[in-house]
Structure formats: structure tokens, C-alpha cells
Amino acid sequence: MKGVGASTVGISAIGTAVACKHDHKRNRRKNKIQGRRHNTQPNTAIFGDSWHAVDSFYGKKDYAVTGELKWTGNFTAEVFVTATFYDGRGGVLSSDGIDSLTLAPNETGGFQIDYLNAHPKRVADYQLATEVYRK
């Protein structure tokens, strides 16, 4: 398993979090960010995640992390995805979540986590985490 930077590990109802198996790199010169190594629960995989502008109901530019999550466990699960947003120095700007995804075994669902705080241009990085509960 390749790794970049440090990873934190948390515990939830199902087990200990492990990092996903792909590298995320960021290119600050082009102001593109891709998430840090994610903290995902066993049997969850996040892929295709990205930070970008999204349309809002009020016609202004909002920002969000979007992606897909695959559940490979052997029971129907309620999976929560949480994003933590960081500034250029690694300080936490915000930690936001979404409503849960209910996924059957081997099912994939899309998610969008909106950045709800002011100054989205200060976001230099993000990290996603999952929590899994038996449904």
C-alpha cells in the first residue's frame, strides 16, 4: 500500500478505519486539490471524489466534494460520509457531513458534501471518512 502523509484512524460501530489504497496528490500551482488519504471503514471504498464548484439554488457559486462510495459488506448498511476541509497550513476549516446512504451488499451510491462556510477559496485540501452501521 502506497501512502502520502499521515493518517488518523477512528473506530465506529463496525470496526477500525483503514486508508484507501490509492494515492492522492495535490498541485497547488494550478489550484487543484484532491483529497488526503481517506479514513474508510472496512468494506467501503470511495472513488472518483473531487472538489469543485456546483450550482446552487440561488444562482451563486457554491463548492462541494462529490464522489461515489461502494459497500462490499454482506449486509445492508447505513453509511455516513464526512468531509474535513483544511487550509494551506493544514489547519481545519470545517468538518461537514451528509445524510446517510443506505446500501445493499455490492451497491454503489453517489454523495455530495457541500462546503457550508465562508471563503471556499481557502480550502487547500480535504479528507473523507466513513462510518458504517448495520441497517
Side-chain angles (χ1 to χ4, degrees):
M1 177 186 329
K2 291 183 184 179
V4 178
S7 176
T8 57
V9 177
I11 298 175
S12 82
I14 296 300
T16 304
V18 294
C20 56
K21 295 181 180 172
H22 58 280
D23 287 338
H24 291 279
K25 297 178 182 172
R26 38 179 193 189
N27 184 341
R28 290 180 193 231
R29 281 178 274 147
K30 294 183 181 178
N31 200 25
K32 292 181 182 177
I33 63 173
Q34 295 182 19
R36 298 170 179 232
R37 217 157 80 172
H38 303 310
N39 289 331
T40 56
Q41 294 292 301
N43 301 311
T44 62
I46 293 174
F47 56 94
D49 57 294
S50 66
W51 164 257
H52 55 89
V54 295
D55 294 329
S56 75
F57 292 111
Y58 304 110
K60 67 179 206 169
K61 191 187 270 189
D62 286 336
Y63 288 84
V65 173
T66 60
E68 293 187 81
L69 182 133
K70 182 166 185 164
W71 168 245
T72 60
N74 58 6
F75 54 86
T76 299
E78 189 170 10
V79 183
F80 291 86
V81 180
T82 304
T84 302
F85 298 95
Y86 299 89
D87 64 18
R89 292 193 210 164
V92 174
L93 294 170
S94 143
S95 184
D96 298 309
I98 64 166
D99 288 333
S100 63
L101 298 168
T102 300
L103 300 172
N106 294 311
E107 189 173 27
T108 299
F111 64 86
Q112 175 175 320
I113 302 174
D114 297 324
Y115 183 71
L116 303 175
N117 295 329
H119 310 294
K121 301 240 184 224
R122 290 181 55 201
V123 175
D125 208 353
Y126 66 92
Q127 182 177 37
L128 300 173
T130 59
E131 289 188 41
V132 178
Y133 298 91
R134 186 178 284 267
K135 188 74 176 166

